[in-house]
Amino acid sequence: MVKHRGFTLQRFLTAIGEQLFQDYLRDRGAMLADGASVVGEAPFQQFLDGLDDQDQQAILEDFQCINDVADRGKDLLEEAKQHYGIETPADEPRERTAMRLFLQHRDGAFARAYESYRYRMLASRLQHFQLPDQQPGFGAENVERFRSDIKRFYEDQSKGEGCLVRHRQERDGKDVLLLLRGDHITTESVWKEGAPTTDFFRKAKEEVLIYNPQNAILSLKVVGRNEPAKRKYVEAFCQCFLGMDQVDNAIFSIQTVSLAPIQMGRFDYNGNGQIQWVR
């Protein structure tokens, strides 16, 4: 799960406003008493205290995900609105816009914005592999073949059957594969009906692969220092999308980035006019 940043409950509740909060409750099948208000951290906490732990966690997780997109992905909200032809009040807080999309366009515009946000966060630290320069094929059949291959890989490690893969193409032509897969079962002590108990659950791990067809570089972000998983992703990518029967071991030793020009004093900081941006 992407880590939540910049989430302040009081600010969020004030930003979304009373009406959208009421709409959110109706969406979840709950209602406040007539005249009741929870726009404020203390009244909202009292409201939460009246719910069971599962409902509390679900509401807070929704709010944090909505806030994540609003806080770190305002441009992504605007792009999603334009993509689906959605108009919202120009002067409303971005948290309110994100909540509006969550309630009214959850599987369309909000899903697109949140998926883009996840990609942005996951793509901040990548490992790169130089692949053979072959024409890739990202059709639905190949994506499903890749998903099935990765699913079996994690099943063999007792990490569950859950494995989702979604392909998208960015405006710059890069192909992105977003993955959600299982992990080992873990435990956590929780309160239920006034008594402590132990919950057993399997965490969902998010990972990403990015392929640049201009230079045949595959970049990936894998949870932890899981070298077998990195190798599996590269091999499965080559087999499923590049049509390769065998993957050369040299792929895993080719150096795609070198700091030698800087270290040896040969790097020209004036540039050659081809660099468009640095981030």
Side-chain angles (χ1 to χ4, degrees), residues 119 169-175 212-214 277:
Y119 161 54
Q169 189 171 65
E170 296 297 292
R171 292 179 176 178
D172 59 5
K174 293 178 182 176
D175 289 278
N212 187 345
Q214 294 183 358
W277 48 258

Side-chain angles (χ1 to χ4, degrees), residues 169-184:
Q169 189 171 65
E170 296 297 292
R171 292 179 176 178
D172 59 5
K174 293 178 182 176
D175 289 278
V176 178
L177 293 167
L178 289 165
L179 293 93
L180 192 66
R181 52 88 173 173
D183 200 1
H184 293 299

Side-chain angles (χ1 to χ4, degrees), residues 24 27 30 33 39 45-46 52 76-78 88 95 100-101 114 117 129-130 148 166 171 185 203 214 241 250 264 278:
Y24 171 82
D27 185 69
V39 177
Q45 189 59 54
Q46 293 177 359
D52 61 34
L76 305 178
L77 288 173
E78 292 302 316
T88 58
E95 293 89 350
R100 196 182 303 280
L101 295 186
Y114 185 65
Y117 163 77
F129 298 89
Q130 179 67 64
S148 298
R166 182 171 295 187
R171 292 179 176 178
I185 291 178
K203 289 184 178 180
Q214 294 183 358
F241 300 116
M264 302 300 292
V278 177

Side-chain angles (χ1 to χ4, degrees), residues 5 20 35 39 68 75 102-103 112 116 133 138 140 148 151 186 188 192 198 206 210 222 243 245 252:
R5 304 176 187 272
L20 279 182
V39 177
D68 284 345
D75 58 319
F102 178 83
L103 292 174
R112 181 181 180 87
S116 297
D133 189 8
F138 289 96
S148 298
K151 177 176 179 287
T186 188
E188 187 174 76
K192 285 188 178 179
T198 300
E206 293 177 318
I210 306 168
V222 175
D245 295 326
F252 302 98

Side-chain angles (χ1 to χ4, degrees), residues 122-142:
L122 290 169
S124 60
R125 305 177 83 178
L126 297 168
Q127 187 169 353
H128 309 282
F129 298 89
Q130 179 67 64
L131 303 186
D133 189 8
Q134 298 180 204
Q135 182 66 31
F138 289 96
E141 184 176 339
N142 289 344

Side-chain angles (χ1 to χ4, degrees), residues 10 34 135 171 200 233:
Q10 176 65 55
D34 290 342
Q135 182 66 31
R171 292 179 176 178
F200 296 84
Y233 282 147

Side-chain angles (χ1 to χ4, degrees), residues 43-206:
F44 179 73
Q45 189 59 54
Q46 293 177 359
F47 166 74
L48 284 183
D49 290 342
L51 305 176
D52 61 34
D53 288 348
Q54 186 174 1
D55 286 340
Q56 288 185 29
Q57 182 177 355
I59 289 174
L60 289 175
E61 185 67 23
D62 280 350
F63 283 6
Q64 288 173 328
C65 289
I66 294 166
N67 183 79
D68 284 345
V69 178
D71 187 53
R72 302 289 295 275
K74 182 179 179 180
D75 58 319
L76 305 178
L77 288 173
E78 292 302 316
E79 189 279 331
K81 286 165 50 182
Q82 293 177 12
H83 181 81
Y84 285 94
I86 298 170
E87 295 185 3
T88 58
D91 58 347
E92 71 177 4
R94 58 181 182 269
E95 293 89 350
R96 192 171 301 175
T97 299
M99 174 63 84
R100 196 182 303 280
L101 295 186
F102 178 83
L103 292 174
Q104 300 173 6
H105 309 278
R106 186 172 311 170
D107 296 329
F110 184 82
R112 181 181 180 87
Y114 185 65
E115 200 169 77
S116 297
Y117 163 77
R118 285 168 48 204
Y119 161 54
R120 176 177 290 178
M121 295 298 103
L122 290 169
S124 60
R125 305 177 83 178
L126 297 168
Q127 187 169 353
H128 309 282
F129 298 89
Q130 179 67 64
L131 303 186
D133 189 8
Q134 298 180 204
Q135 182 66 31
F138 289 96
E141 184 176 339
N142 289 344
V143 173
E144 175 57 27
R145 181 184 169 199
F146 177 80
R147 188 198 71 83
S148 298
D149 198 5
I150 298 301
K151 177 176 179 287
R152 286 192 299 270
F153 173 76
Y154 284 114
E155 282 180 334
D156 291 343
Q157 299 180 40
S158 300
K159 293 185 177 181
E161 300 179 356
C163 182
L164 300 175
V165 177
R166 182 171 295 187
H167 169 256
R168 59 181 291 169
Q169 189 171 65
E170 296 297 292
R171 292 179 176 178
D172 59 5
K174 293 178 182 176
D175 289 278
V176 178
L177 293 167
L178 289 165
L179 293 93
L180 192 66
R181 52 88 173 173
D183 200 1
H184 293 299
I185 291 178
T186 188
T187 62
E188 187 174 76
S189 295
V190 298
W191 288 95
K192 285 188 178 179
E193 299 179 355
T197 186
T198 300
D199 263 5
F200 296 84
F201 59 94
R202 192 183 301 278
K203 289 184 178 180
K205 300 291 187 179
E206 293 177 318

